[in-house]
């Protein structure tokens, strides 16, 4: 039997109000001066100032880098590490959704490993642990606050680099649903569909294990029950709380079972056109599921059940197709755009994106080996 490893943060805080433990956790990690990494949106909404104040109240000074952009780049990492060094920081805190966490992980990699971020692309290329690191999550989607994945766009060729290393896993993940209530419906929908994609891809991955299966199915079930409610009313705290658990569970699943061609292909859309990650995944997910269905028919039938579909009396194949219908219905209900062309994707760019998608680390665990032509056909079908 193959040896399976399972990666999660040392401590994960869940539940409304858990942000109040931040300063205590900084002290437990012996942090004297953290660098707080956020994006401009967090600062505009007052969240960055709120974190600085929480730290100040515990006599913890901090430096701030809030220049992170969506689909963060190598330039963001370079700007952040310059501040980390000039301010004499000794630990990291990230605040936001995927972008701030990924940028912060990049900064942490350079803080202790040196060199350029491009040096660490691939699996387990680091030699040194990151500085102590707390990730505060504000969306229910990427799960970057608890994973070993770091996605940074290489600005020279617009390709998203995947740095996958157990050493980048945050020491503490904070998932406080009170920080998620201000998310607008469109962001709630896109991030929620990203979480669903994590769970579905992990469940049908070639690297799935009984542990990741349990996480993935529970995540799918919670998303099926609560994503519409969270989109319909952002202040529905039960829905926000359950979606926070769902995205974390989906993170546990894909952090260990990895992903598939939805992510391999959506990374190219993000890198090429700077499109929102969750929307790209949501658009590609049903098309990739349709192509993968023959490889994992029984598992797609399980997904239909987890999404609340009644499959009794149906053949396995018909039940499996119900999963795809249910995913499309959910995506439609929460207002995801229904074609890539609406987002400005051009047919002439497909061959380049196919080449890069086939090299993406996520393609390795797709349940079906896909040819370049098959990948191109999926992009075309979603166009
Ligand atoms: Fe994702």
């Amino acid at each position: 039997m193959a040896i399976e490893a399972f990666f999660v943060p040392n401590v994960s805080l869940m539940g409304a109000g858990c942000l109040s433990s931040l300063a205590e956790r900084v002290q437990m990690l012996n942090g004297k001066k953290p660098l707080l990494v956020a994006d401009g949106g967090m600062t505009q909404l007052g969240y960055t100032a709120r974190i600085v104040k929480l730290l100040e109240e515990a006599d913890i000074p901090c430096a701030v880098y809030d220049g992170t952009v969506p689909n963060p780049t190598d330039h963001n990492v370079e700007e952040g590490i310059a501040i980390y060094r000039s301010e004499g920081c000794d630990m990291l805190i990230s605040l936001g959704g995927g972008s701030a966490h990924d940028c912060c992980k990049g900064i942490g990699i350079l803080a202790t490993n040196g060199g350029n971020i491009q040096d660490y692309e691939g699996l387990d290329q680091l030699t040194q642990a990151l500085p102590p690191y707390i990730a505060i999550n504000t969306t229910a989607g990427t799960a970057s606050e608890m994973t070993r994945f770091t996605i940074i766009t290489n600005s020279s060729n617009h390709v998203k680099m995947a740095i996958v290393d157990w050493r980048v896993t945050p020491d503490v993940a904070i998932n406080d649903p009170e920080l998620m209530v201000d998310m607008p419906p469109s962001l709630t929908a896109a991030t929620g569909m990203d979480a669903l994609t994590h769970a579905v891809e992990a469940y049908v991955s070639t690297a799935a294990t009984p542990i990741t299966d349990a996480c993935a199915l529970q995540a799918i079930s919670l998303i099926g029950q609560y994503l519409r409610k969270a989109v319909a009313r952002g202040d529905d705290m039960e829905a926000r709380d359950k979606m926070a658990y769902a995205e974390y569970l989906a993170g546990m699943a894909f952090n260990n079972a990895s992903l598939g061609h939805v992510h391999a292909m959506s990374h190219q859309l993000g890198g090429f056109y700077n499109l929102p990650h969750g929307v790209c995944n949501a658009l590609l997910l049903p098309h990739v599921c349709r192509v993968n269905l023959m490889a994992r028919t029984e598992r797609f039938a399980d997904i239909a059940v987890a999404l609340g579909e009644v499959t009794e009396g149906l053949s396995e194949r018909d039940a499996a197709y119900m999963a795809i219908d249910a995913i499309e219905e959910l995506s439609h209900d929460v207002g995801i755009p229904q074609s890539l062309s609406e987002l400005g994707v051009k047919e002439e760019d497909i061959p380049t994106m196919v080449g890069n998608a086939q090299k993406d680390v996520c393609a390795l665990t797709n349940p079906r080996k896909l040819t370049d032509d098959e990948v191109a056909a999926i992009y075309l079908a979603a166009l």
Side-chain angles (χ1 to χ4, degrees):
M1 295 295 283
I3 296 170
E4 306 288 355
F6 194 75
F7 309 96
V8 280
N10 290 328
V11 180
S12 298
L13 305 179
M14 312 293 294
C18 69
L19 177 65
S20 60
S21 305
L22 174 66
E24 188 188 338
R25 289 288 162 186
V26 171
Q27 287 155 349
M28 285 170 155
L29 288 166
N30 288 322
K32 301 287 178 269
K33 185 171 184 185
L35 174 68
L36 174 59
V37 179
D39 57 53
M42 285 290 112
T43 300
Q44 271 176 6
L45 289 167
Y47 283 72
T48 306
R50 191 172 154 194
I51 301 300
V52 171
K53 187 159 175 272
L54 263 180
L55 295 170
E56 268 174 10
E57 284 168 1
D59 293 325
I60 301 166
C62 79
V64 174
Y65 172 61
D66 65 357
T68 313
V69 295
N71 300 314
T73 67
D74 41 4
H75 295 318
N76 289 142
V77 174
E78 285 156 18
E79 286 168 2
I81 188 66
I83 296 172
Y84 183 92
R85 288 176 179 145
S86 67
E87 292 279 340
C89 296
D90 63 353
M91 80 167 282
L92 292 159
I93 300 175
S94 56
L95 170 72
S99 306
H101 306 312
D102 283 4
C103 181
C104 191
K105 289 171 178 177
I107 295 165
I109 289 168
L110 298 195
T112 47
N113 290 263
N116 298 308
I117 196 67
Q118 288 86 346
D119 301 339
Y120 303 102
E121 188 173 5
L123 180 66
D124 290 340
Q125 299 297 309
L126 275 63
T127 57
Q128 304 297 320
L130 268 60
Y133 175 25
I134 300 176
I136 306 166
N137 195 27
T138 60
T139 70
T142 71
S144 184
E145 84 285 357
M146 56 79 65
T147 69
R148 61 191 169 119
F149 285 73
T150 311
I151 309 292
I152 302 288
T153 301
N154 186 336
S155 53
S156 62
N157 60 6
H158 304 289
V159 174
K160 283 192 168 192
M161 298 179 285
I163 299 164
V164 187
D165 196 303
W166 62 276
R167 292 181 177 87
V168 308
T169 310
D171 297 298
V172 180
I174 296 182
N175 266 299
D176 187 336
E178 285 180 356
L179 294 174
M180 300 172 188
V181 292
D182 289 334
M183 258 196 292
S186 59
L187 185 60
T188 304
T191 51
M193 290 302 290
D194 184 28
L196 178 65
T197 307
H198 296 154
V200 170
E201 291 213 283
Y203 191 63
V204 301
S205 157
T206 57
T209 69
I211 302 176
T212 60
D213 288 350
C215 298
L217 283 179
Q218 180 65 6
I220 293 166
S221 170
L222 287 171
I223 293 165
Q225 292 172 72
Y226 291 101
L227 179 57
R228 288 180 178 88
K229 290 184 201 295
V231 169
R233 280 205 66 118
D235 60 357
D236 181 335
M237 282 312 292
E238 188 193 5
R240 290 294 191 193
D241 188 53
K242 293 296 199 301
M243 281 303 300
Y245 276 103
E247 81 94 42
Y248 188 94
L249 282 159
M252 287 172 79
F254 91 83
N255 197 32
N256 300 286
S258 196
L259 294 159
H261 260 90
V262 181
H263 273 76
M265 294 174 67
S266 88
H267 286 159
Q268 313 320 318
L269 296 168
F272 229 78
Y273 303 102
N274 201 22
L275 292 171
H277 175 69
V279 172
C280 296
N281 282 335
L283 263 161
L284 292 168
L285 180 60
H287 298 285
V288 175
C289 287
R290 217 164 268 125
V291 169
N292 283 339
L293 190 129
M294 65 189 256
R296 290 282 190 277
T297 313
E298 70 293 345
R299 291 200 158 229
F300 282 104
D302 294 343
I303 291 169
V305 173
L307 283 170
E309 299 297 316
V310 179
T311 60
E312 271 170 40
L314 293 181
S315 69
E316 193 172 78
R317 189 178 162 80
D318 285 349
Y321 272 109
M322 281 189 87
I324 299 172
D325 291 345
I327 290 168
E328 281 185 323
E329 221 169 85
L330 177 58
S331 173
H332 183 266
D333 286 355
V334 297
I336 297 288
Q338 295 300 303
S339 75
L340 292 177
S341 52
E342 274 177 64
L343 305 175
V345 176
K346 305 245 178 331
E347 194 173 337
E348 67 249 34
D349 294 331
I350 289 177
T352 311
M353 291 195 292
V354 168
N356 291 331
Q358 294 289 61
K359 284 184 242 153
D360 190 291
V361 66
C362 295
L364 294 173
T365 43
N366 196 65
R368 183 174 168 188
K369 280 232 178 293
L370 297 176
T371 64
D372 290 1
D373 286 348
E374 285 162 344
V375 175
I378 296 169
Y379 276 127
L380 273 175
L383 203 62

